[in-house]
């Protein structure tokens, strides 16, 4: 009987340890840093498919979107941030709120679907943003762009959806070299980063977007392969993003793998480990 009691106590202690560990991990993820895998090529070449980073939640303070959404399709688990912190939603404010800066790479909650997106902040509240021939204009002034060669990658299936990249030099067969034009873009506040271009696409010429107060305008660095604020939610885009939907700022890549699994060590990209995000 004594042995059975010890065994039962051991099981209880193990369960307690697991519960405590999950609670600590949940608090850590909610308050400080959230892990994020890059699933698509919309932020190339700043972020590549398979980059792993932590999102700094302390930068902008906290809102309902700071609570994690837990989605595990295989187990049928779909717990949304609103299910946990919905009481904190609705006023577009934040606790200990900090203002994002133009040019920040931000993870935010899609205004309609609730999915997490990562894009670059281009337009601030009150700005007028327009795209002409692929070049952003902010309040009537073109953003500076300087040609910077080309970005090359193999034409092969990438990411969870195994889709090959679009190329400026298409048609390119699988295994061929896929090329995109690269430029260094500099925003009015001096923030510089690389952007990629394929050619003339529908979102390369737009009307004028007037960013409402308390909302923001985002674009992907891979301009012709990004679903962002240039298209509204009615057309399966993002549109303007409310302040309370910001989750955090992406500051540094911690790990990167170009394969289908992080366990394929031969696909690890060691030159991207701990790389700062410009």
């Amino acid at each position: 009987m004594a042995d059975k009691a010890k065994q039962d106590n051991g099981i209880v202690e193990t369960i307690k340890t697991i519960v405590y560990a999950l609670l600590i991990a949940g608090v850590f993820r909610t308050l400080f840093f959230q892990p994020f895998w890059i699933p698509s090529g919309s932020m190339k070449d700043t972020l590549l498919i398979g980059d792993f980073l932590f999102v700094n939640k302390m930068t902008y303070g906290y809102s309902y979107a700071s609570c994690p959404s837990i989605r595990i399709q295989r187990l049928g688990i779909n717990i949304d941030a609103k299910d946990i912190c919905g009481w904190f939603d609705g006023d577009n404010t934040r606790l200990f709120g900090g203002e994002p800066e133009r040019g920040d790479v931000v993870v935010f909650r899609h205004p309609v679907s609730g999915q997490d997106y990562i894009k670059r902040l281009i337009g601030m509240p009150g700005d007028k943003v327009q795209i002409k021939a692929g070049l952003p204009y902010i309040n009537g002034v073109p953003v500076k762009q300087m040609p910077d060669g080309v970005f090359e990658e193999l034409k092969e299936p990438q990411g969870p959806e195994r889709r090959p990249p679009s190329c400026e030099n298409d048609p390119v067969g699988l295994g061929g070299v896929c090329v995109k034009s690269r430029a260094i873009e500099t925003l009015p506040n001096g923030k510089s980063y690389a952007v990629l271009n394929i050619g003339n696409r529908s979102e390369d010429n737009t009307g004028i977007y007037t960013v409402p107060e308390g909302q923001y305008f985002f674009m992907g660095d891979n301009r012709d392969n990004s679903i962002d604020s240039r298209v509204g939610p009615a057309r399966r885009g993002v549109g303007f993003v409310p302040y309370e939907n910001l989750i955090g700022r992406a500051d540094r890549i911690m790990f990167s793998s170009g394969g289908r699994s992080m366990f394929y060590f031969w696909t690890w990209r060691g030159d991207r480990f701990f790389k700062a995000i410009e």
Side-chain angles (χ1 to χ4, degrees):
M1 293 292 292
D3 289 341
K4 178 137 187 348
K6 286 182 179 178
Q7 185 178 7
D8 290 344
N9 287 337
I11 293 173
V12 170
E13 289 303 316
T14 300
I15 293 172
K16 282 169 134 183
T17 300
I18 293 172
V19 170
Y20 290 151
L22 290 174
L23 286 173
I24 292 170
V27 170
F28 184 86
R29 180 174 174 178
T30 300
L31 296 181
F32 303 112
F33 298 97
Q34 176 174 317
F36 192 86
W37 283 98
I38 302 301
S40 74
S42 68
M43 284 295 291
K44 291 178 183 176
D45 64 346
T46 303
L47 298 171
L48 303 181
I49 295 173
D51 283 348
F52 175 78
L53 50 89
F54 282 104
V55 179
N56 186 342
K57 290 189 171 185
M58 296 176 284
T59 308
Y60 308 137
Y62 305 97
S63 71
Y64 85 96
S66 302
C67 286
S69 294
I70 304 171
R71 297 185 173 97
I72 307 175
Q73 293 182 353
R74 293 179 181 179
L75 301 179
I77 298 175
N78 186 14
I79 302 174
D80 190 77
K82 282 191 174 182
D83 297 330
I84 304 171
C85 296
W87 56 272
F88 201 13
D89 178 26
D91 57 3
N92 203 26
T93 60
R94 307 181 72 88
L95 183 65
F96 308 122
E99 288 294 326
E101 295 183 8
R102 195 190 306 273
D104 283 356
V105 176
V106 180
V107 173
F108 59 85
R109 179 182 168 90
H110 189 285
V112 176
S113 72
Q115 291 182 313
D116 291 350
Y117 276 56
I118 185 165
K119 306 290 179 185
R120 191 176 298 275
L121 176 54
I122 301 296
M124 305 294 286
D127 280 346
K128 294 184 182 297
V129 181
Q130 184 175 20
I131 316 300
K132 299 180 182 179
L135 184 66
Y137 284 65
I138 300 176
N139 299 319
V141 180
V143 170
K144 295 178 182 177
Q145 274 192 7
M146 292 291 294
D148 191 49
V150 297
F151 171 77
E152 295 183 352
E153 60 184 337
L154 288 179
K155 183 78 174 269
E156 61 183 3
Q158 298 178 348
E161 297 180 356
R162 310 304 295 159
R163 292 183 179 180
S166 300
C167 315
E168 190 173 8
N169 59 331
D170 269 334
V172 178
L174 291 178
V177 177
C178 177
V179 175
K180 296 179 179 67
S181 294
R182 189 175 189 269
I184 301 298
E185 187 169 278
T186 302
L187 293 172
N189 62 351
K191 178 74 173 181
S192 295
Y193 47 89
V195 295
L196 304 181
N197 183 58
I198 294 174
N200 188 26
R201 299 294 175 97
S202 58
E203 277 73 50
D204 284 340
N205 293 279
T206 72
I208 297 174
Y209 303 93
T210 301
V211 185
E213 288 301 317
Q215 303 198 43
Y216 299 89
F217 185 96
F218 288 90
M219 294 178 69
D221 291 350
N222 190 5
R223 292 289 160 79
D224 294 326
N225 281 277
S226 175
I227 297 173
D228 50 40
S229 294
R230 290 172 289 178
V231 176
R235 293 173 52 207
R236 299 185 180 180
V238 172
F240 302 122
V241 178
Y243 181 46
E244 67 179 351
N245 282 44
L246 307 185
I247 294 173
R249 186 180 66 202
D251 292 328
R252 189 173 297 273
I253 299 165
M254 304 304 294
F255 173 82
S256 183
S257 173
R260 297 187 66 177
S261 168
M262 65 177 292
F263 298 108
Y264 295 173
F265 63 87
W266 57 91
T267 67
W268 292 359
R269 298 181 286 230
D271 60 326
R272 298 185 66 79
F273 290 10
F274 309 111
K275 181 179 179 182
I277 297 172
E278 300 295 336

